[in-house]
Amino acid sequence: MKTKGQRHHKVNIVTLGCSKNLVDSEVLLTQLRGNQIDASHESNKDDANIVVINTCGFIDNAKQESIDTILRYVDAKEEGIVEKVYVTGCLSQRYKDDLEKEIPQVDAWFGTRDLSRLLKQLNANYKSELVGERILTNPSHFAYLKISEGCDRPCSFCAIPLMRGKHISRPMEELVLEAKNLAKNGTRELLLIAQDSTYYGLDLYKKRNLAELLKRLSDVEGIEWIRLHYAFPTGFPMDALDVMAERENICKYIDIPLQHGATEMLQIMRRGTTREKTESLLETIREKVPGIAIRTTLIAGHPGETQEHFTEMMAFVERTRFDRLGVFPYSHEDSTHSFSLTDDVPAKLKQERVDQLMELQQGISLELNQAKIGKIFNVLVDRKEEAIFIGRTEFDSPEVDNEVILKGAEYLRLGDFVKAKVISATEFDLVADVI
C-alpha cells in the first residue's frame, strides 16, 4: 500500500449523472491544470491522493449510485489508498446537512455552484482567463456545450431547481468563444445542453434568444454539426425552427422531453400544456424542419396516473411515432410538489408500463430504421471496436441513440465524416457500407 510520502499531490475527478455534470467536471479539470495541479478524470491508476466525486441526486437509482461511490472512496481513505475525499454536485447540494452526519469521513461537501470554494480547498484559484477553455474527457470530435444553468419551471416531479437553482443563461459571447476554442482543438460536433434550452436568453436579453445563439454558433468555422437537447415544449421559440431549417450544420434533431401524453396528467405534472398543444407543436416542428428526428422522454406511474391515462399515453406514442424514446418509472422525490401526493402506482405496475411503452417504441424504431435501408447518410465516426468502426448519423446523439456499424472501412479516424449506404437495420442500429 502506498503511503503519503510516496506520492505527489494529485486529484482524480469522478463524474456521475448527466452530461451537464460532465461539463462541470471538465471545467474543474481545466481550472486545476491551469493552476499547475496534477489532475485527471476517472483515472484507473491508483496514484491520486485526492478524489473529487461529482454526484447526481436526480432520482433514487442515481442517488444510490452516488452514495455507493462516496462510500467506496471513503473506504479507500480509511485503508490509506487516498488521503482526501471531497464531494460536489447535485446530491451534495440537495442533502449536504444529512450527508455530513451520515458520512463524516468525507473531508468537505460542495454544492453545484461552489466551484471557486472547491478550487480554494484544492489550493487553486479560479482563473477567469480560462473561461471558454475546456479540457474534454470524451473523444475530442464532439463536445457538450452547456448554454445555461438551473431551471425556473415548476414541474411537479422534478428536483432540479432544488439542486441547480434558478435559470441563468451564459452570455452569447462566452459561448461563441468556447465553441471557437473547441473547434480549434478538433471538435466537429456541438451538443447544446441545459436544464431548459428553450428558455435561453430570457434573463440576459429579456427574450428567448435561442435562435440567435444557434445562428452565432452555426457561423463558427470548423463546427459541422450542432445538436439541440432538452428543449422544453411550453413556450417553444418557433424562430429557432427557422434557423434549424436554414443552416446546414444544425442537425435535423431535437431532444424535447414531453413526460406524458394525457392532458390530465400533464396538468397534474404542472407542465403548462395539453396533449393537443403538444401534438400541434410536434406537427409544426416536422413541417418547419422536414425530416427532423424527434427524441423525447416519458414518465410512467406518476401519482394519479390511471390505466386510462396510460392507455392515452400509449396511443399518443403510437400516433406520434417518435424517432427515439426513453421511458422512466416515476421516482417519488422529497421536497418536490409530487411528494405531497400519494405515490399510488405500485412499483411493479410502473415497470410494467415502462416495458409496454418501450416494446411499442421498439416496433416503431424498427420500422423507421428499416425504411432507411438503401439510403445514403453522412456518418460521423465515433469509435473503433476491434476491427469495426462505429458512428452516428445527424439523427442520433452519442450514448443515448442509434449507431451505425460501418462495413468496408479500414483506414478511418475518429471524427471523420464518411458517406455510408444502409444495408440492414435493427431497432437499435444500422449497418452500412462506406462508399
Side-chain angles (χ1 to χ4, degrees), residues 293-346:
I294 299 177
R295 175 181 178 81
T296 194
T297 50
L298 300 172
I299 296 173
H302 186 282
E305 184 186 75
T306 64
Q307 182 59 43
E308 288 73 23
H309 294 138
F310 177 70
T311 300
E312 188 176 348
M313 179 154 62
M314 287 281 286
F316 170 68
V317 170
E318 192 161 16
R319 275 195 311 275
T320 307
R321 293 177 66 81
F322 294 106
D323 297 87
R324 309 286 176 255
L325 173 66
V327 186
F328 302 93
Y330 168 77
S331 178
H332 206 45
E333 295 298 314
D334 60 280
S335 301
T336 63
H337 174 75
S338 292
F339 197 71
S340 64
L341 306 175
T342 302
D343 189 10
D344 55 358
V345 181

Side-chain angles (χ1 to χ4, degrees), residues 233-296:
T234 307
F236 190 95
M238 294 299 182
D239 55 347
L241 297 176
D242 297 326
V243 180
M244 293 175 74
E246 292 166 5
R247 301 294 178 107
E248 289 187 4
N249 63 344
I250 299 180
C251 294
K252 288 183 170 59
Y253 176 100
I254 189 167
D255 183 332
I256 181 167
L258 300 174
Q259 312 303 9
H260 215 280
T263 293
E264 190 172 350
M265 285 309 305
L266 289 168
Q267 291 170 345
I268 292 173
M269 297 164 90
R270 304 171 80 182
R271 295 287 289 174
T273 190
T274 64
R275 177 183 57 76
E276 292 79 10
K277 288 180 180 178
T278 299
E279 289 181 328
S280 177
L281 173 61
L282 295 174
E283 185 178 333
T284 300
I285 290 172
R286 284 172 165 159
E287 285 176 357
K288 284 183 169 284
V289 190
I292 191 170
I294 299 177
R295 175 181 178 81
T296 194

Side-chain angles (χ1 to χ4, degrees), residues 294-419:
I294 299 177
R295 175 181 178 81
T296 194
T297 50
L298 300 172
I299 296 173
H302 186 282
E305 184 186 75
T306 64
Q307 182 59 43
E308 288 73 23
H309 294 138
F310 177 70
T311 300
E312 188 176 348
M313 179 154 62
M314 287 281 286
F316 170 68
V317 170
E318 192 161 16
R319 275 195 311 275
T320 307
R321 293 177 66 81
F322 294 106
D323 297 87
R324 309 286 176 255
L325 173 66
V327 186
F328 302 93
Y330 168 77
S331 178
H332 206 45
E333 295 298 314
D334 60 280
S335 301
T336 63
H337 174 75
S338 292
F339 197 71
S340 64
L341 306 175
T342 302
D343 189 10
D344 55 358
V345 181
K348 183 180 178 183
L349 183 55
K350 288 177 188 176
Q351 191 57 50
E352 286 175 359
R353 290 177 177 177
V354 169
D355 295 342
Q356 287 180 57
L357 281 164
M358 289 310 301
E359 184 178 356
L360 172 61
Q361 179 61 33
Q362 283 179 18
I364 294 169
S365 296
L366 180 60
E367 291 176 11
L368 293 175
N369 279 352
Q370 287 181 333
K372 295 180 172 71
I373 294 174
K375 295 182 179 179
I376 297 171
F377 295 93
N378 203 24
V379 176
L380 177 60
V381 180
D382 266 343
R383 70 183 194 279
K384 185 179 183 182
E385 291 185 359
E386 297 180 351
I388 298 174
F389 287 95
I390 298 172
R392 290 175 289 113
T393 70
E394 71 171 291
F395 307 109
D396 295 290
S397 196
E399 299 181 355
V400 295
D401 290 331
N402 281 13
E403 295 182 318
V404 182
I405 299 166
L406 296 164
K407 301 285 189 179
E410 297 179 4
Y411 305 107
L412 297 179
R413 297 170 303 174
L414 300 190
D416 280 350
F417 280 96
V418 297
K419 295 288 185 183

Side-chain angles (χ1 to χ4, degrees), residues 1 42 60 63 68 75 112 141 155 229 236 259 316 341 349 357 366 413 416-417 428:
M1 183 181 295
E42 298 190 347
D60 286 343
K63 287 187 282 188
D68 289 345
D75 288 344
T112 54
H141 61 271
C155 302
H229 286 267
F236 190 95
Q259 312 303 9
F316 170 68
L341 306 175
L349 183 55
L357 281 164
L366 180 60
R413 297 170 303 174
D416 280 350
F417 280 96
F428 303 114

